[in-house]
Amino acid sequence: MSGSHHEPVFVQGEARYQDARRVNLVGAVVNIVLSVLKILAGWLGSSHALIADGIHSLSDLATDVVVLVAAKHGAKDADDEHPYGHGRIETLATVALGSVLILVAFGIGYDAIRRLFAPEQLLLPGMLALSAAVISVLVKEGLYHYTVIVARKLRSNLLRANAWHHRSDAISSIVVVVGVIGSMAGLGYLDAVASVVVAVMVAKIGWDLGWQSAHELIDRGLERDDVEVIRNKIMAVDGVRAMHDLRTRRMGGNAFVDVDVLVDPSITVSEGHRIGEEVLKRLNQDIDEVTDVTVHIDPEDDETDTPSGDAPMRGVMLERLRAHWREIAGAEKIESVALHYFGG
């Protein structure tokens, strides 16, 4: 038995894509303006760290494009070739985004370290560079909060990753502010040191995002606390005696659950089905990210009891029973036969 909640509480399909498109277009415009501002201010204001930060903003612009394309295709509904939807497109794009962040960090860090070992190449930034860095901090932090609000609404790890990309730019700009102030105070090497710190921070964010999404691609289960919540919800359903083989996985912003539920073996098929439907309903309604649940109803615990997979099917059983009933008066009036399989 499987099912999906037909009145989801989160945004899907075209509406989901439009929300993602809006936030990414805003981010793209902001990144274009900031990258030009920081690169020019870094060049005119003699700040290598600010130029590196401007390149970081350009990488934000590139990832905005990746996010936009992935969001468009990932928002498509399920079809014959993709019965579980296209959510993994977002997951794959998040891995790519994390990889881009790591590569950007490596480039920034390499150039900064090279300058540290060549003092004659160190730059001495001024007020122009400092002003541009402060503006960048304020704008990018605001863009982070805007993007993360939409990411939570859509339950999109891809948008959440892009939000952190914005925040990494804001944090790197704070480091640039410190480096510029230090250089203006006569510590010329601080600007290059600030660039290295920026690179390490960006690389850490890229690794975390990519690693988490890579786990999703190989169907890693939900976190232990989330699984425990699901387990408690299932056991609270009237008629559920026990459960086993609980499996979970993620796809984009959605969670999928498979579970075997033990019920009273004497109940009817329809009552067992009703219990399964209640499990679906509880998980779909109470846990937002759960959108698809597969429930297998067990009349006995097949982890401890002997499975009945080798027992004869109905046709063979009725044929054998009728052979024994021939000599019994009134046997021809039997209208229905209920079969129960227990313990093999």
Side-chain angles (χ1 to χ4, degrees), residues 57-236:
S57 290
L58 280 178
S59 75
D60 276 359
L61 178 60
T63 54
D64 282 335
V65 175
V66 173
V67 171
L68 194 59
V69 173
K72 179 177 181 179
H73 293 285
K76 292 180 180 178
D77 294 330
D79 53 35
D80 290 340
E81 293 184 350
H82 306 87
Y84 290 98
H86 297 75
R88 286 282 167 82
I89 293 177
E90 286 196 16
T91 308
L92 188 60
T94 306
V95 173
L97 177 53
S99 301
V100 169
L101 281 170
I102 293 173
L103 291 175
V104 169
F106 178 79
I108 293 174
Y110 174 79
D111 192 56
I113 292 173
R114 182 178 59 82
R115 287 178 180 273
L116 278 174
F117 286 95
E120 69 280 359
Q121 295 183 13
L122 293 174
L123 304 177
L124 297 176
M127 281 302 299
L128 177 61
L130 180 61
S131 300
V134 171
I135 291 173
S136 176
V137 171
L138 298 177
V139 173
K140 293 298 286 191
E141 184 65 14
L143 189 57
Y144 161 79
H145 286 288
Y146 171 52
T147 305
V148 85
I149 287 173
V150 179
R152 287 171 183 158
K153 174 185 175 183
L154 304 183
R155 286 211 315 274
S156 170
N157 284 334
L158 180 59
L159 279 182
R160 191 174 290 111
N162 209 30
W164 273 103
H165 201 173
H166 295 317
R167 170 159 274 188
S168 73
D169 210 3
I171 295 172
S172 66
S173 293
I174 292 175
V175 177
V176 171
V177 169
V178 175
V180 169
I181 291 175
S183 295
M184 291 173 65
L187 304 175
Y189 62 87
L190 277 185
D191 187 68
V193 171
S195 296
V196 176
V197 174
V198 169
V200 173
M201 292 165 57
V202 173
K204 174 65 166 57
I205 293 170
W207 173 261
D208 289 344
L209 292 173
W211 186 244
Q212 179 180 350
S213 294
H215 278 303
E216 184 178 324
L217 286 176
I218 58 175
D219 283 337
R220 182 183 181 181
L222 273 61
E223 290 71 20
R224 183 175 300 176
D225 291 344
D226 295 331
V227 173
E228 192 60 30
V229 170
I230 292 173
R231 187 184 303 277
N232 292 335
K233 292 290 182 184
I234 295 173
M235 290 304 300

Side-chain angles (χ1 to χ4, degrees), residues 244-318:
H244 58 92
D245 287 347
L246 174 60
R247 296 178 296 171
T248 61
R249 59 191 174 100
R250 294 187 185 277
M251 181 165 307
N254 303 327
F256 294 72
V257 178
D258 299 308
V259 64
D260 285 15
V261 169
L262 180 66
V263 299
D264 183 346
S266 64
I267 64 175
T268 62
V269 173
S270 61
E271 186 178 354
H273 181 79
R274 177 66 188 90
I275 293 171
E277 286 290 335
E278 188 63 22
V279 170
L280 296 178
K281 179 181 176 182
R282 295 280 182 92
L283 294 182
N284 284 153
Q285 288 185 344
D286 297 348
I287 306 176
D288 286 346
E289 61 183 345
V290 173
T291 57
D292 190 278
V293 183
T294 300
V295 181
H296 178 243
I297 301 297
D298 285 339
E300 58 186 353
D301 190 344
D302 51 20
E303 284 191 320
T304 57
D305 295 330
T306 304
S308 302
D310 294 330
M313 296 297 290
R314 170 173 283 269
V316 176
M317 286 297 298
L318 288 180

